Amino acid sequence: MDYTAKLDTAIDRLHQEGRYRTFIDIERRNGQFPHAVWTRPDGTERDITVWCGNDYLGMGQNPVVLEAMHDALNATGAGSGGTRNISGTTVHHKRLEAELADLHGKEQALLFTSAYIANDATLSTLPKLFPGLIIYSDALNHASMIEGVRRNGGAKRIFRHNDLDHLRELLAADDPDTPKLIAFESVYSMDGDFAPIGAICDLAEEFNALTYLDEVHAVGMYGPRGGGVAERDRLMHRVDIINGTLAKAFGVMGGYIAASAKMCDAVRSYAPGFIFTTSLPPAVAAGAAASVAWLKSATELREKHQTQAKILKTRLKGMGLPIIDHGSHIVPVIVGDPVHTKKLSDMLLEDFGIYVQPINFPTVPRGTERLRFTPSPVHGPDQMDKLIRAMDSLWSHCALNRAELAG
């Protein structure tokens, strides 16, 4: 076996399909987000504006967050020193879990190193707690949820995206006495559409199923205190387990679940992804706790964020660009071809200093490749104007000319 040749074949396949992913070397400058510096492969630098970041509200540079991290770093040092079970639980971790439980109106929260791990570890552990559990998973759930469901060894049913009739059909076909759980998201990150949370909760109650809601792209940004879409719609009390991230709107790092005290205790006690993982550095936990607490009263920032998204979508629609608009903060512009999407991304960066990463298969279905813009409250009018002018120029002169783009 020529292992190197096999690796070359696998990588070459991605290049040929236009799906090879490149990392852009950027350096965020404290206090200047969304501005950053891009270091080209030849070592030269260029000032750019980031339009595809997940630090949706700019909290990664909020002075309150930074001060909390500095204070914790000076007080405790760099790392946590162990897993949560072995010396890795500090006052900062406990405070963060208390803030998160309060945010979602739950008895308890459980902190993980990322929302991916939180989804994977929890969903793969639940069948150990509820033998025979069937998980009903939305077809467009995040890869972390899919992996958790796949690895748990239990039964699963995939229902068509947001299709309540299909979900009902699947639930009704199974033994009424079998434990069940419905797993879905509140905001789906690629199209920006919302789940019918209330209707799904209705089905869960009718068929005696638990509910598992991923609010990763909603926490901090929706609801009176940033509890997510379930808080906005006054449905948090009807959801059994809520998953969220600290790495997007909260601007730091980490993931969590919020649920009943018994549910969190059981997951904590049985999930290998929690038990055997070193806990987050105390400084990270302290910064996340400060961010969660601060955003609970940041209503104006959330409103400005939504306004920015509406303005960008309105202006892109006015240019006739094929955007998807479900009313969320996510702004996808469909290009429909991986090579063309990458070319547009490259030209925006090199010619206009605008950074937006191409989104290709398998993140989205083939033929729906896109540029996914994430406007924030700190993108000013000048940055918005520059982006619109750049998209107008490139779409008019290049995007409709397939041969030029492919060249």
Side-chain angles (χ1 to χ4, degrees):
M1 170 68 71
D2 186 341
Y3 294 102
T4 299
K6 290 294 184 182
L7 294 175
D8 288 339
T9 299
I11 297 299
D12 286 345
R13 185 183 310 121
L14 296 179
H15 280 291
Q16 292 168 9
E17 295 177 3
R19 296 195 295 117
Y20 182 76
R21 304 185 184 203
T22 58
F23 293 155
I24 305 300
D25 185 359
I26 66 172
E27 181 180 358
R28 287 159 53 112
R29 296 291 170 86
N30 187 18
Q32 299 179 35
F33 184 76
H35 301 292
V37 175
W38 167 42
T39 301
R40 296 183 176 94
D42 63 6
T44 60
E45 295 184 343
R46 171 158 190 184
D47 292 333
I48 62 170
T49 302
V50 178
W51 275 98
C52 59
N54 285 334
D55 187 358
Y56 289 127
L57 303 177
M59 291 300 292
Q61 299 186 25
N62 185 294
V64 171
V65 175
L66 300 184
E67 181 180 2
M69 295 185 74
H70 280 298
D71 289 347
L73 181 65
N74 292 333
T76 67
S80 68
T83 66
R84 288 293 298 275
N85 300 305
I86 305 175
S87 79
T89 296
T90 70
V91 294
H92 302 293
H93 297 86
K94 298 302 292 183
R95 183 199 165 198
L96 174 53
E97 287 176 337
E99 288 286 359
L100 292 168
D102 172 75
L103 176 68
H104 293 291
K106 299 299 183 186
E107 292 178 341
Q108 198 166 309
L110 190 63
L111 183 62
F112 293 81
T113 51
S114 72
Y116 188 108
I117 298 299
N119 272 333
D120 185 8
T122 304
L123 288 169
S124 63
T125 297
L126 288 174
K128 300 176 186 177
L129 307 176
F130 308 104
L133 178 72
I134 301 174
I135 296 182
Y136 304 80
S137 180
D138 188 285
L140 293 189
N141 277 343
H142 189 265
S144 58
M145 301 175 75
I146 294 171
E147 184 65 13
V149 173
R150 185 189 68 81
R151 289 199 312 108
N152 67 30
K156 65 178 182 293
R157 312 281 188 261
I158 310 301
F159 63 93
R160 291 186 292 270
H161 178 54
N162 280 348
D163 189 330
L164 297 172
D165 291 335
H166 189 213
L167 175 57
R168 168 181 283 280
E169 177 185 326
L170 294 173
L171 287 164
D174 287 316
D175 186 341
D177 294 327
T178 300
K180 303 174 179 65
L181 178 139
I182 305 171
F184 59 109
E185 300 182 37
S186 62
V187 180
Y188 288 85
S189 62
M190 289 300 109
D191 285 352
D193 56 328
F194 295 94
I197 300 175
I200 290 176
C201 289
D202 290 342
L203 286 174
E205 291 176 5
E206 180 181 348
F207 290 94
N208 192 28
L210 295 170
T211 47
Y212 185 102
L213 176 62
D214 181 309
E215 289 260 35
V216 161
H217 287 274
V219 289
M221 295 171 282
Y222 294 85
R225 300 197 309 157
V229 179
E231 185 196 26
R232 183 197 69 179
D233 296 346
R234 300 182 180 181
L235 295 168
M236 287 196 300
H237 64 287
R238 300 185 65 191
V239 178
D240 295 295
I241 305 172
I242 294 175
N243 168 274
T245 185
L246 302 165
K248 291 182 170 60
F250 294 122
V252 192
M253 179 184 176
Y256 63 90
I257 61 169
S260 69
K262 287 186 178 181
M263 182 70 76
C264 289
D265 190 28
V267 173
R268 176 188 70 84
S269 301
Y270 280 86
F274 178 86
I275 297 170
F276 299 106
T277 299
T278 299
S279 64
L280 287 173
V284 172
S291 183
V292 173
W294 191 88
L295 277 176
K296 287 176 181 177
S297 60
T299 304
E300 291 184 4
L301 188 66
R302 278 186 283 278
E303 291 175 349
K304 186 175 181 182
H305 182 222
Q306 293 295 322
T307 298
Q308 287 286 83
K310 290 176 183 176
I311 291 172
L312 180 57
K313 285 185 281 190
T314 298
R315 296 188 68 176
L316 291 172
K317 285 179 183 177
M319 296 161 52
L321 269 62
I323 78 165
I324 299 175
D325 183 6
H326 290 287
S328 73
H329 61 284
I330 293 169
V331 186
V333 177
I334 304 301
V335 180
D337 178 273
V339 174
H340 301 162
T341 307
K342 179 65 165 61
K343 191 74 172 179
L344 276 170
S345 172
D346 290 344
M347 289 188 292
L348 282 167
L349 184 64
E350 184 65 54
D351 299 341
F352 296 93
I354 291 172
Y355 174 43
V356 55
Q357 190 73 0
I359 307 293
N360 295 324
F361 178 85
T363 307
V364 295
R366 297 180 191 276
T368 69
E369 293 83 3
R370 66 198 63 185
L371 299 175
R372 177 180 171 273
F373 296 95
T374 54
S376 77
V378 294
H379 283 91
D382 290 342
Q383 286 83 49
M384 183 84 72
D385 289 343
K386 184 176 180 180
L387 172 62
I388 294 300
R389 288 195 300 269
M391 287 296 291
D392 187 33
S393 173
L394 293 179
W395 205 269
S396 298
H397 296 94
C398 299
L400 299 180
N401 186 335
R402 298 281 180 172
E404 183 178 347
L405 271 175

